[in-house]
Amino acid sequence: LTLQAPLVLPETGAVQLQVSVGEADAEGRRTVEIHSRPHDLAGATTAEWAAHADGVLAVADAAPDKHDTPWPPARATSVDVSDVYDTLAEKGLVYGPVFRGLRAAWRLGDEVFAEVALPEEAANAADAFGLHPALLDAALHAIGLLQLADSEGMRLPFAWSGVSLQAVGATTLRVRIAPDGRGGATVDLFDEAGLPVARVESLTLREVSREQMAAAASAAGDESLFQVEWVPVVGDPDEAVSWAVLGDSPLAEGG
């Protein structure tokens, strides 16, 4: 799955989301495309669909093995995550309460290990998803621990390869992130018993500046739709009212 453009939600209004899945080829693979456009509550939208991502769906390979090593890993160094979201906000990435799921993290060589969890209000809805998007997003926040001092911008997910889901309804995760040898990262997600939940064989990141993120948010606001609504005014029928007629009008004759 390759991300082409961010999907930024406006502060007010809604967005229509379109997911298109193609026919299966000889190997059972299907193309998938994701588009969006502003949603006109009056049903008269003329906005064009904007492309956000495209990819390929295929039958998953065998599930990863159970993670039987001690947790956290021996000799891993604990990382303070108490101010990670404040630091990300300074770089232009502001996360709401549901998406602040990073609870603990460790480093061991080039690898990063983390624990993430959904807040109670989101955990109650976890069964509605294969993998709750806020929980997946929180798992990727651990990547940022290696970048916070690198530059003014941030490296955000750009291309996903070999994504598979082994379990559904998770509310907490153990995360292992390691270099994939091709300039990206491999992400393994496990439950508290070490059983596999999901895996990303290769995640490629792309540098995004604060200015680019601000421009994307501004563009979402530019698509706001306005409507004229007639609001009746109720007055006192016994109250005297004075009128003035400006210009030529039959109403002015005989006045």
Side-chain angles (χ1 to χ4, degrees):
L1 182 71
T2 301
L3 306 183
Q4 302 175 23
L7 172 56
V8 181
L9 300 180
E11 293 187 8
T12 59
V15 172
Q16 289 181 329
L17 189 65
Q18 181 188 80
V19 180
S20 304
V21 179
E23 295 184 358
D25 62 15
E27 298 179 353
R29 296 157 58 92
R30 299 174 182 267
T31 59
V32 58
E33 297 180 347
I34 301 175
H35 295 76
S36 78
R37 67 178 179 182
H39 178 56
D40 184 355
L41 298 179
T45 183
T46 58
E48 296 184 358
W49 291 97
H52 293 285
D54 63 83
V56 176
L57 301 175
V59 178
D61 296 329
D65 295 330
K66 180 180 179 180
H67 193 262
D68 286 326
T69 58
W71 187 266
R75 300 187 304 278
T77 303
S78 178
V79 179
D80 182 12
V81 299
S82 60
D83 63 348
V84 63
Y85 290 107
D86 291 336
T87 304
L88 290 172
E90 293 174 359
K91 292 179 175 289
L93 288 174
V94 180
Y95 292 94
V98 174
F99 287 84
R100 296 188 172 210
L102 185 61
R103 298 290 182 261
W106 301 265
R107 287 196 189 106
L108 180 60
D110 292 334
E111 297 180 323
V112 176
F113 299 84
E115 291 179 354
V116 298
L118 290 172
E120 183 177 356
E121 61 270 23
N124 294 333
D127 288 337
F129 302 89
L131 180 58
H132 197 292
L135 193 62
L136 174 60
D137 195 49
L140 301 182
H141 296 169
I143 297 177
L145 296 175
L146 302 179
Q147 309 173 39
L148 294 181
D150 287 353
S151 65
E152 287 298 318
M154 290 293 297
R155 296 173 64 210
L156 300 181
F158 168 63
W160 306 66
S161 178
V163 181
S164 59
L165 182 67
Q166 287 80 42
V168 300
T171 58
T172 61
L173 290 173
R174 292 177 176 178
V175 184
R176 174 184 175 271
I177 301 173
D180 65 357
R182 293 169 288 177
T186 296
V187 182
D188 288 298
L189 308 178
F190 303 90
D191 64 15
E192 292 180 309
L195 296 175
V197 173
R199 176 178 172 83
V200 182
E201 292 182 2
S202 181
L203 175 61
T204 302
L205 306 176
R206 184 167 64 177
E207 184 81 16
V208 179
S209 68
R210 183 182 306 181
E211 291 74 20
Q212 288 174 306
M213 289 185 285
S218 176
D222 291 342
E223 298 295 336
S224 298
L225 299 176
F226 297 91
Q227 294 176 279
V228 176
E229 181 179 358
W230 178 261
V231 180
V233 177
V234 179
D236 185 351
D238 298 326
E239 181 180 356
V241 178
S242 299
W243 295 88
V245 179
L246 302 178
D248 297 332
S249 171
L251 295 176
E253 297 179 0

